[in-house]
Amino acid sequence: MCRHTCRKNIGCMGKDMSGISGVWYEKLKDQFKMPYYGELYRFVSEEYARGPVYPPSEDIFNAFHYTPFENVKCVILGQDPYHEPGQAHGLCFSVRPGVPAPPSLCNIYKELQDDLSCRIPNNGYLEKWAREGVLLLNTCLTVRAHQANSHNGHGWEQFTDAVIKAVDAKPEPVVFLLWGTPAGRKSELLTNRSHLVLKAPHPSPLSAYRGFFGCRHFSAANRYLTEHGLSPIDWQIEDI
């Protein structure tokens, strides 16, 4: 994406948060008035102008576009977007059709196969999960190309903590899947006893064998939702 396009589209995370609408906007609008958000906006605008940054600016808030607040019944929490070209598109762990599934997602598919006998698909595009009510949220929503964690500590974490707290306040049961130590720490924000919080090691090849494999979080999530009168999530990603 060229610098001119980035400057034009970064307005989608402007101070009025025009990139987010509906109930999400109502739940988060107080954040947009806070000093940290103004500083975050300036930082991200400068980063896109300097470029390249992922995901494309128009995709920053896709997790909210694909999963309206009132539909959220499960949250999967990632850290920051994929930092290589063509991968990140605003949903944690997901990649666009035609992009090979990264190793962590391959391990997620392996666990799904063992847990629910889901067939491993030929793609890593998780939009279906988002449409099913799974909020695929990274704690940091942008990243500099080739530099993991490069946008950490600039305000995104405060914003996404507010998102997590807003979901925690929902009266309807929600399942939180927290994989890895950074995600696990977010359990401190979750106080609503109506929800189920499940923790496991990260699905990365470096840690999946320490307890992610065999955690059976997907069947546990569906069991909890069904027990509380909600429809289970169809976790099967179809081939493209």
Side-chain angles (χ1 to χ4, degrees):
M1 176 175 284
C2 71
R3 292 186 181 186
H4 173 74
T5 304
C6 288
R7 282 195 177 118
K8 180 177 68 174
N9 287 339
I10 197 62
C12 72
M13 68 158 292
K15 292 183 179 180
D16 64 351
M17 210 60 169
S18 57
I20 292 180
S21 60
V23 179
W24 278 121
Y25 179 82
E26 292 302 316
K27 297 294 182 181
L28 299 171
K29 62 184 179 183
D30 288 346
Q31 299 299 310
F32 319 145
K33 305 171 187 176
M34 294 184 179
Y36 88 85
Y37 186 78
E39 294 173 6
L40 171 63
Y41 173 74
R42 286 190 291 274
F43 169 75
V44 175
S45 297
E46 291 170 359
E47 287 287 284
Y48 273 99
R50 190 177 298 119
V53 170
Y54 303 123
S57 59
E58 65 269 20
D59 291 338
I60 291 173
F61 299 114
N62 273 349
F64 308 101
H65 298 161
Y66 293 157
T67 311
F69 179 84
E70 54 271 30
N71 293 355
V72 175
K73 55 186 176 183
C74 181
V75 177
I76 296 179
L77 200 59
Q79 188 167 351
D80 64 346
Y82 296 125
H83 53 268
E84 295 302 324
Q87 293 183 315
H89 67 104
L91 304 180
C92 75
F93 293 108
S94 179
V95 292
R96 292 280 190 192
V99 178
S104 292
L105 181 54
C106 289
N107 286 340
I108 291 171
Y109 283 160
K110 289 177 184 177
E111 176 59 20
L112 259 174
Q113 185 178 52
D114 291 342
D115 187 8
L116 292 174
S117 299
C118 288
R119 176 177 35 81
I120 295 178
N122 65 358
N123 67 92
Y125 190 46
L126 305 183
E127 181 185 344
K128 177 184 176 180
W129 291 0
R131 303 293 188 188
E132 287 273 319
V134 182
L135 181 65
L136 297 169
L137 180 69
N138 281 310
T139 57
C140 191
L141 301 188
T142 56
V143 68
R144 195 177 302 142
H146 317 302
Q147 299 182 44
N149 304 321
S150 51
H151 285 187
N152 288 12
H154 290 278
W156 277 130
E157 295 87 349
Q158 187 169 342
F159 178 75
T160 53
D161 279 359
V163 173
I164 294 167
K165 291 176 182 177
V167 176
D168 185 56
K170 282 173 66 83
E172 304 85 3
V174 176
V175 180
F176 291 83
L177 305 184
L178 307 181
W179 300 332
T181 301
R185 293 193 192 104
K186 299 300 182 180
S187 64
E188 299 173 0
L189 304 175
L190 305 174
T191 60
N192 189 335
R193 294 189 178 182
S194 297
H195 304 326
L196 176 65
V197 180
L198 300 174
K199 298 182 184 181
H202 195 275
S204 161
L206 298 176
S207 55
Y209 288 94
R210 300 174 186 167
F212 177 78
F213 289 139
C215 70
R216 298 192 175 275
H217 279 185
F218 303 102
S219 60
N222 277 358
R223 185 164 54 250
Y224 191 78
L225 293 171
T226 302
E227 288 171 352
H228 289 81
L230 299 175
S231 59
I233 295 161
D234 181 1
W235 293 104
Q236 179 65 66
I237 298 295
E238 287 79 16
D239 286 344
I240 295 177

